[in-house]
Amino acid sequence: MDFFKYKAHQLHSLLKNKEVSAVEITNSVIERINAVEGSVKAYITQTSEAALEKAKAVDAKIQKGEEISPLAGIPGAIKDNICISGTKTTCASKILADFIPPYNATVMEKLGQDTVVVGKANLDEFAMGGSTENSGFHTTHNPWDLSTVPGGSSGGSAAAVAAGEAIWSLGSDTGGSIRQPAAYCGVVGLKPTYGRVSRYGLVAYASSLDQIGPITRDVTDAAFVMNAIAGYDSKDSTSIKADTPDYTKALVNNIKGLKIGIPREYFVAGMDPEVEKSIRQSIDQLVALGAEITEVSMPHTEYALSAYYLIAPAEASSNLARYDGVSYGHRVPGNDIVDMYKKTRSEAFGTEVKRRIMLGTYALSSGYYDAYYLKALKVRTLVKQDFDRAFEKVDVLVTPTAPTTAFKIGDKSNDPLAMYLQDVCTIPVNLAGVPGISIPCGFSNGMPIGLQIIGKPLDEETILRTAYTFEQNNDYHKRFAPLGEV
Ligand code: GLN
């Protein structure tokens, strides 16, 4: 049986009814990895043996009649910037090529003992990028067309789910890194409210923006994963002390009377007309399903990208100072300590990471702090106020996730600005700290298009309900990537 094609919630029912074993499911996914990984390259590290051990333990529990958690025994992929105790966590950087964390990220603790992890998924180095081309190891390929990128930075996590190399995955999103690859790979990606999910054990890129979230094949699975990972954590001082709802209760096929705002500034110049058409059709469909649409204006949207590319690199330059060849990670010997720092960091960081460290260091330096960093923080407040104002009138906002579909590998790798522009629709959401989901809503030339639904702070439930209603009235979640010539 092709269990690798199933959704997590379907497999959970089959497991509970003893119609399939966790070992059978895990073997199906491992066989799929063996068949397609050579073309997709979603993983940095594969952990098939440990996965099978876990699957056996879950089967033993089921045999004994013990309760199992919704994701128990169902193979997932974890972005390789999330720490799993005893498993290599590289952040796709040569500087951490052999780093084995001695502890689990809180999300791994919360997922629990019965979680079957088949591998650590590829990303842009330290999550800086939008295509996985910045990975220090290899580029991941989009299962819908192997000559295109899967998006990024969580490109491995999205491609694994789309290719059947994992049933669900975790990604991280600082400026779009869950939602944009989900859109490019035709799957669902949810960035929770900043503080909803603990960042403890997520290797920091830009700490005031980073959030971990699910990448799945449908909205129900996103709710499943959220139920497992959300919640306050005393180990993350930015995590929010709020009750965590049962997200599966939000899976209601009804948006009658829901107020949806369409921010006009998100239909940017240079947007692919096919993408725009598909987004507009999806909005019409939401109206037909009972939603009320209003156009809203979010006037500071056009400044969000520039503010992000000062704030994120500023935080990154500080966060990445710890990779100095001393406590852990790669070291190149030098004549003295400064020489050692220089050689280590010059050799082991990739071009994009260096670019961001330089940008960030410059923006934070004493002569430029006020002109750049502080100014960017003020813009961030204005962007947040755009959201506050919009949410006085509407329940959710609907926009494209990205202005185009997946581009060809190599197309933008020498043009950082063109790459950064892919994030225009996702970045403001991180600056404001609100939740956003991307769901498949159409195709252009055979490549998936993503619809973004943005919610009020801590209101993941309403975006899940909107997404679920849209999904249940379409069949995008039933399609499977053809995987090119494989
Ligand atoms: N593409 C954006 C960047 O390069 C977002 C990355 C992310 O969300 N981690 O910073």
Side-chain angles (χ1 to χ4, degrees):
M1 282 290 275
D2 288 348
F3 293 117
F4 68 84
K5 284 191 173 171
Y6 284 51
K7 276 105 181 145
H9 59 94
Q10 296 169 328
L11 293 170
H12 179 62
S13 304
L14 294 174
L15 274 175
K16 272 204 317 203
N17 298 335
K18 300 194 182 150
E19 287 170 57
V20 64
S21 70
V23 168
E24 281 173 290
I25 298 171
T26 306
N27 271 326
S28 166
V29 171
I30 292 171
E31 277 164 29
R32 177 69 172 174
I33 293 174
N34 292 339
V36 304
E37 176 62 5
S39 315
V40 180
K41 298 189 173 156
Y43 289 108
I44 291 176
T45 305
Q46 290 180 39
T47 51
S48 311
E49 266 174 44
L52 277 169
E53 285 307 308
K54 282 277 169 73
K56 275 185 206 149
V58 172
D59 284 337
K61 268 193 173 177
I62 297 170
Q63 284 313 322
K64 278 194 240 149
E66 287 178 32
E67 274 292 307
I68 53 160
S69 61
L71 288 172
I74 300 169
I78 306 296
K79 188 176 182 179
D80 206 22
N81 59 353
I82 297 172
C83 290
I84 302 182
S85 180
T87 301
K88 226 164 42 168
T89 297
T90 68
C91 293
S93 182
K94 297 207 170 77
I95 214 151
L96 286 178
D98 299 311
F99 174 60
I100 299 179
Y103 68 101
N104 270 328
T106 294
V107 287
M108 298 314 299
E109 290 290 324
K110 280 181 164 279
L111 281 161
Q113 274 301 313
D114 295 339
T115 304
V116 172
V117 175
V118 279
K120 299 296 299 288
N122 195 25
L123 62 152
D124 289 291
E125 185 175 2
F126 284 105
M128 297 176 194
S131 68
T132 78
E133 291 166 295
N134 297 338
S135 166
F137 304 120
H138 56 257
T139 299
T140 298
H141 297 246
N142 190 316
W144 292 85
D145 175 351
L146 294 169
S147 69
T148 66
V149 300
S153 64
S154 314
S157 300
V161 171
E165 296 190 69
I167 309 294
W168 58 276
S169 68
L170 290 186
S172 69
D173 190 314
T174 307
S177 278
I178 288 175
R179 291 159 289 157
Q180 183 255 30
Y184 284 5
C185 290
V187 291
V188 174
L190 170 64
K191 182 203 88 76
T193 306
Y194 182 76
R196 181 56 111 179
V197 176
S198 169
R199 292 183 294 111
Y200 180 77
L202 166 68
V203 180
Y205 159 19
S207 313
S208 78
L209 300 156
D210 299 340
Q211 261 298 282
I212 297 174
I215 298 181
T216 55
R217 295 205 180 122
D218 70 2
V219 178
T220 303
D221 280 2
F224 262 55
V225 178
M226 278 300 286
N227 273 358
I229 64 173
Y232 172 71
D233 177 18
S234 60
K235 292 191 184 126
D236 172 2
S237 59
T238 60
S239 92
I240 298 173
K241 272 190 186 144
D243 289 340
T244 317
D246 174 355
Y247 291 104
T248 59
K249 295 227 168 77
L251 303 172
V252 179
N253 183 353
N254 183 356
I255 52 164
K256 292 219 169 62
L258 184 82
K259 294 196 181 67
I260 297 182
I262 311 297
R264 89 172 67 96
E265 291 81 2
Y266 279 67
F267 293 85
V268 292
M271 194 168 163
D272 176 346
E274 287 294 311
V275 171
E276 173 155 8
K277 198 167 112 201
S278 161
I279 301 296
R280 301 258 182 223
Q281 279 170 354
S282 305
I283 293 169
D284 290 346
Q285 220 186 338
L286 290 167
V287 174
L289 290 165
E292 294 164 18
I293 302 289
T294 5
E295 199 184 64
V296 295
S297 174
M298 304 182 73
H300 299 96
T301 305
E302 63 171 309
Y303 308 111
L305 195 77
S306 316
Y308 172 90
Y309 276 102
L310 286 164
I311 295 168
E315 293 184 21
S317 70
S318 158
N319 276 327
L320 270 59
R322 73 191 69 171
Y323 306 107
D324 57 5
V326 177
S327 315
Y328 52 88
H330 187 77
R331 173 191 288 200
V332 183
N335 301 328
D336 53 38
I337 189 154
V338 174
D339 191 43
M340 186 277 285
Y341 289 159
K342 274 192 195 158
K343 288 194 168 126
T344 298
R345 289 168 68 86
S346 303
E347 183 175 297
F349 281 139
T351 312
E352 184 63 26
V353 171
K354 285 181 190 154
R355 183 174 6 254
R356 305 231 180 159
I357 291 173
M358 286 191 279
L359 267 172
T361 308
Y362 184 80
L364 289 175
S365 60
S366 61
Y368 298 98
Y369 183 93
D370 288 1
Y372 292 108
Y373 182 65
L374 205 61
K375 186 92 152 260
L377 290 184
K378 289 178 182 169
V379 172
R380 182 177 190 172
T381 302
L382 294 172
V383 170
K384 168 82 172 73
Q385 287 169 351
D386 278 355
F387 280 92
D388 293 344
R389 254 192 310 274
F391 284 132
E392 281 168 13
K393 284 186 264 162
V394 299
D395 303 311
V396 298
L397 296 161
V398 169
T399 76
T401 304
T404 67
T405 54
F407 46 90
K408 293 273 179 209
I409 291 173
D411 245 19
K412 297 191 200 294
S413 41
N414 293 322
D415 187 352
L417 210 59
M419 191 77 87
Y420 297 172
L421 283 168
Q422 288 300 310
D423 301 322
V424 278
C425 302
T426 46
I427 273 176
V429 179
N430 299 75
L431 289 177
V434 296
I437 192 168
S438 178
I439 54 169
C441 73
F443 290 88
S444 166
N445 289 324
M447 296 306 285
I449 299 170
L451 182 76
Q452 179 172 235
I453 305 163
I454 306 166
K456 296 177 183 173
L458 293 179
D459 192 13
E460 282 82 4
E461 288 149 291
T462 307
I463 58 175
L464 283 167
R465 174 159 64 92
T466 314
Y468 183 76
T469 304
F470 183 85
E471 173 188 89
Q472 294 302 305
N473 289 283
N474 286 286
D475 70 350
Y476 302 115
H477 62 301
K478 295 189 178 142
R479 307 203 200 168
F480 210 82
L483 248 185
E485 59 274 13
V486 174

